[in-house]
Amino acid sequence: MASLQDQLLKAGLADEKKAKAIRSEKKKQRKQQPKGTVQVSEAEVRARQAREEKAERDRQLNLERQREAQKKAIQAQIRQLVETNRLDRSRGETSYQFVHDKKIKKIFVDDKMVDQLSRGRLAIVSVNDQYEIVAEAVARKIQERDEKAVVVLHDRQQDDVGEDDPYAGYEIPDDLMW
């Protein structure tokens, strides 16, 4: 099998002078290279760069997928916490108003829940565009996973002794002077 150069010469598509010039140019290039180095063509360099860029894009896409999967897992954990720990507010007659996303929202709860919400013993959580009431401990767990899910959680006062307060039945007079 003759080389491509020989085939072109026989067909008359190339002349002997051009073939000789090309051979001498290749010979010069080989002599100018130091011994032991491999000549790398421009196409190989571009192919390597394209592979590296593709690998980087794939890596970024994989990271994004992992973040999305992690976000979905956190949302599932929050939903599960709320479903298992939400309080029944079906007997609620008193409206409790709060601010969420710069809008005033209203839910109906009973009087005991209003008191506990204001004291920080209960919290309002937003899940699937619905508002549910959960205990403070559950709200703290939810807040660790996603702070935006907890809509209302008041800070507990240190002097709040709660339902065990022995003086809860006594009113403090307005005109009391110390």
Side-chain angles (χ1 to χ4, degrees):
M1 180 112 197
S3 69
L4 178 63
Q5 197 174 34
D6 294 337
Q7 290 175 6
L8 291 174
L9 287 173
K10 283 184 183 177
L13 297 173
D15 59 344
E16 191 62 40
K17 281 186 176 180
K18 274 192 173 183
K20 218 177 219 182
I22 291 173
R23 273 190 236 124
S24 65
E25 183 67 33
K26 281 186 180 179
K27 198 173 189 181
K28 281 183 187 177
Q29 283 181 358
R30 274 186 264 139
K31 286 198 175 209
Q32 286 177 351
Q33 280 186 345
K35 294 279 184 185
T37 60
V38 179
Q39 183 178 3
V40 181
S41 70
E42 190 175 320
E44 290 174 2
V45 171
R46 280 186 289 197
R48 186 180 321 118
Q49 283 178 339
R51 281 192 305 269
E52 290 171 359
E53 289 172 2
K54 184 181 181 315
E56 183 62 30
R57 280 194 309 270
D58 290 345
R59 204 173 7 262
Q60 293 297 329
L61 186 62
N62 199 13
L63 283 174
E64 186 65 30
R65 285 182 184 153
Q66 286 176 350
R67 279 190 229 119
E68 288 296 321
Q70 186 177 14
K71 190 185 288 187
K72 284 182 182 179
I74 288 172
Q75 290 302 321
Q77 289 174 359
I78 291 172
R79 271 195 306 276
Q80 184 179 14
L81 277 171
V82 171
E83 289 295 320
T84 57
N85 296 302
R86 70 179 172 195
L87 299 177
D88 181 35
R89 55 185 176 97
S90 62
R91 294 172 283 138
E93 298 171 355
T94 308
S95 71
Y96 184 81
Q97 297 177 346
F98 57 95
V99 177
H100 185 229
D101 291 335
K102 298 181 181 180
K103 294 180 183 175
I104 297 175
K105 303 289 183 172
K106 180 179 8 178
I107 60 172
F108 288 96
V109 294
D110 58 18
D111 293 333
K112 188 176 179 182
M113 283 186 180
V114 170
D115 182 50
Q116 290 179 339
L117 279 167
S118 65
R119 291 178 185 259
R121 292 173 181 241
L122 295 179
I124 299 175
V125 182
S126 172
V127 176
N128 297 334
D129 297 328
Q130 293 181 343
Y131 299 106
E132 298 293 340
I133 296 179
V134 295
E136 175 201 12
V138 176
R140 299 272 182 218
K141 288 179 184 177
I142 292 171
Q143 210 169 25
E144 288 174 3
R145 290 165 175 78
D146 184 13
E147 289 188 18
K148 295 176 184 174
V150 178
V151 179
V152 175
L153 176 60
H154 297 291
D155 292 330
R156 255 183 139 163
Q157 289 113 8
Q158 297 296 339
D159 58 349
D160 180 23
V161 286
E163 296 171 10
D164 301 338
D165 187 8
Y167 299 105
Y170 300 104
E171 286 189 33
I172 300 173
D174 293 338
D175 61 345
L176 180 65
M177 300 294 285
W178 296 98

